[in-house]
Amino acid sequence: SRVRIPAIAVDSLLEDINLDAAGALKGPVDFGKAGWYAGGVAPGDLGPAVIAGHVDSDSGPAVFYRLRDLKAGDEIEVARGDTWIKFRVIATERHPKDQFPTDKVYRPTPVPELRLITCGGTFDRSRRSYEDNIVVYAVAA
């Protein structure tokens, strides 16, 4: 229901998000909130739970504006009901959108893991989209 990332001052309620008609993950409706991929793994269950958020909007920085700044060892907390589940960042990567590491992000894992996703890199004004994605990988702490 909520995600907290102290290292980058994120404290956000979570929206449920799903895939679009082309099979791509849709971003949250509210640029100030992160979204949990409701068609996937729940945070704390075995496998990779996915949380996405916007980097910015026409009015300025959005919820995951500083996601690219996360480093190995940083802590992420996700509320699931009354329980807070702690994760530890193990890597932050940037990938061109046309080379998104789908298998690496969504493949089954033997332990609870977390993936945080936002846009990054250069903004293409003609397409009104960033050229890359930032993906943060974290494991249950």
Side-chain angles (χ1 to χ4, degrees):
S1 60
R2 185 174 209 92
V3 62
R4 292 191 303 217
I5 312 169
I8 58 170
V10 168
D11 185 356
S12 170
L13 291 172
L14 291 172
E15 294 181 10
D16 286 356
I17 57 175
N18 287 290
L19 304 178
D20 64 18
L25 190 63
K26 291 192 267 185
V29 174
D30 185 335
F31 283 75
K33 291 182 185 174
W36 163 63
Y37 172 44
V41 173
D45 287 352
L46 292 182
V50 175
I51 296 176
H54 296 284
V55 67
D56 62 12
S57 70
D58 291 340
S59 60
V63 66
F64 278 175
Y65 183 74
R66 294 185 53 216
L67 196 69
R68 68 185 177 274
D69 297 334
L70 286 179
K71 305 277 188 268
D74 286 341
E75 187 175 274
I76 302 165
E77 299 175 307
V78 179
R80 188 166 167 190
D82 293 335
T83 303
W84 284 93
I85 303 160
K86 292 185 180 192
F87 295 88
R88 180 181 40 81
V89 172
I90 57 172
T92 300
E93 299 176 347
R94 188 171 105 185
H95 301 276
K97 286 189 177 187
D98 62 357
Q99 296 174 27
F100 186 81
T102 302
D103 289 342
K104 185 176 180 180
V105 169
Y106 292 99
R107 74 174 169 230
T109 62
V111 296
E113 295 192 14
L114 186 64
R115 311 289 190 251
L116 304 180
I117 303 170
T118 196
C119 293
T122 303
F123 186 75
D124 183 336
R125 292 191 184 283
S126 65
R127 296 174 67 197
R128 299 201 41 77
S129 176
Y130 283 90
E131 293 179 354
D132 300 331
N133 283 115
I134 306 295
V135 181
V136 173
Y137 299 86
V139 295

